[in-house]
Amino acid sequence: MTVADAASVPRFVARPSDGRRIAFETLGPAHGFPVVLLHGTPGSRLGPRPRGIVLHRLGIRLITYDRPGYGDSDRVQGRDVAHAAQDVRAIAEELDLDRFAVVGRSGGGPHALACAADGELRDRITRVAVLVSLAPAGAPGWFDGMNDDNREQMGRVLTDPVELESEIRRRASGIRTDPDYLLGLLAEQMTIADQRVVSDAALRRQLRLSYRDAIKNGPYGWIDDLLALRRDWKVDLRAIIAPVRVWHGGEDTFAPAVHSEYLAGQIGTAELHVRPGAAHFDAMPELPRTLRWLAGRSPLPSLATP
């Protein structure tokens, strides 16, 4: 099961340069192998992840945090994707992490790659995994196979950012009123594969919790994520030296597999895995398997690309 325990108490690290607070938490064994998980868009540190008992079995110390503007982390207006490396460095210093791995799901994928490419982090990162990630905005075929709602929202970043912000505010208000609101909107765009994954009651509860926590202090993290993902990431993918696992569901319409195919072509250390018949939300049950690889405990066989 890829659902976290409900109880959650954040820890905070304050950046010395500006006093900005970053909310994070750790799960699993204190002496387990450290892995930083970067949540999706929208999302928070409470997003779906294995239960504590699974993390103990895997020997993983999982570290999650709220990107700026989400949950309990202070906003950084105008941030780009590369900014994530600053926050992960601060958390790593707070926890005295010498070597660790990173994994990002969906909108967290680009931010995980930013950490792996960062000049001050890349020698400390052992492995990287990105699940159903987006590619940089300049990648060919960026909108190919994307569902109508995502295409419209991502298009507005460049054509009408004011209307985009208004729409995200409306959606955030809907989540506050009804925790099922966003899942209802997403369901209209889901493939059968996604509907099958999200039909799990425990997973749905965790998604509702994550979405509601993400916007509890405003929709700013969500807005800033969309702006950052569609603008220049300020990330040199070719600078990544750690082994990278790029995983995607072949039927994904939220971030189609062409995005991962582009990423794998740009990253010299990447191995691409596209699972036929899987879609966007299949990244959640895939996470425990990926964590095992990140800890270096089991190689993953190559999967056929459809």
Side-chain angles (χ1 to χ4, degrees):
M1 179 65 65
T2 56
V3 180
D5 303 310
S8 174
V9 178
R11 297 170 60 180
F12 293 94
V13 57
R15 288 177 49 80
S17 58
D18 54 16
R20 180 175 56 84
R21 297 196 315 165
I22 306 163
F24 72 98
E25 63 179 274
T26 63
L27 304 97
H31 298 292
F33 183 80
V35 178
V36 179
L37 170 63
L38 292 97
H39 62 74
T41 303
S44 75
R45 70 182 190 281
L46 305 182
R49 65 269 177 119
R51 292 183 184 274
I53 190 171
V54 177
L55 295 173
H56 278 271
R57 188 181 307 128
L58 293 171
I60 295 289
R61 183 188 187 192
L62 192 66
I63 300 141
T64 65
Y65 79 99
D66 297 330
R67 278 197 296 282
Y70 283 119
D72 293 298
S73 288
D74 295 334
R75 185 187 188 188
V76 178
Q77 194 165 2
R79 62 179 166 88
D80 50 39
V81 169
H83 181 274
Q86 298 180 29
D87 290 351
V88 171
R89 284 202 307 268
I91 294 168
E93 294 301 322
E94 176 73 12
L95 296 176
D96 197 25
L97 303 181
D98 179 44
R99 303 274 282 170
F100 59 96
V102 293
V103 55
R105 182 175 56 230
S106 190
H111 296 87
L113 294 173
C115 297
D118 180 71
E120 295 184 46
L121 277 182
R122 60 175 175 244
D123 290 332
R124 300 167 66 179
I125 292 177
T126 58
R127 289 186 175 188
V128 186
V130 289
L131 310 176
V132 297
S133 178
L134 289 166
W142 205 88
F143 287 106
D144 291 354
M146 188 175 288
N147 65 50
D148 292 342
D149 187 64
N150 264 27
R151 185 184 297 115
E152 182 177 357
Q153 298 309 314
M154 290 299 190
R156 281 177 176 167
V157 172
L158 302 179
T159 62
D160 195 348
V162 174
E163 175 54 29
L164 171 70
E165 181 169 341
S166 296
E167 176 60 23
I168 297 304
R169 288 181 180 278
R170 285 192 289 271
R171 295 187 179 198
S173 178
I175 293 170
R176 290 191 197 94
T177 302
D178 177 7
D180 280 317
Y181 173 80
L182 184 57
L183 278 172
L185 284 181
L186 296 177
E188 298 173 7
Q189 308 293 326
M190 286 183 188
T191 62
I192 293 174
D194 277 333
Q195 291 172 3
R196 181 178 63 248
V197 174
V198 178
S199 67
D200 180 88
L203 179 58
R204 289 180 67 87
R205 284 196 299 272
Q206 192 60 29
L207 286 169
R208 288 195 296 265
L209 176 64
S210 177
Y211 294 152
R212 195 157 194 175
D213 190 71
I215 52 88
K216 68 180 183 181
N217 290 312
Y220 309 110
W222 193 353
I223 293 167
D224 294 341
D225 254 10
L226 295 178
L227 296 175
L229 290 168
R230 283 292 286 150
R231 294 173 178 170
D232 185 355
W233 289 5
K234 309 286 180 65
V235 174
D236 181 4
L237 295 174
R238 298 185 184 275
I240 297 173
I241 59 176
V244 180
R245 182 179 189 244
V246 182
W247 186 95
H248 223 108
E251 306 302 317
D252 192 342
T253 64
F254 289 92
V258 65
H259 288 252
S260 280
E261 291 166 5
Y262 176 86
L263 291 173
Q266 296 297 306
I267 302 169
T269 58
E271 184 173 343
L272 176 64
H273 303 261
V274 178
R275 180 176 294 171
H280 195 72
F281 286 85
D282 281 286
M284 296 170 186
E286 178 67 19
L287 183 58
R289 171 181 159 94
T290 298
L291 290 174
R292 186 181 296 276
W293 177 81
L294 286 168
R297 301 211 167 86
S298 67
L300 289 164
S302 297
L303 300 178
T305 300

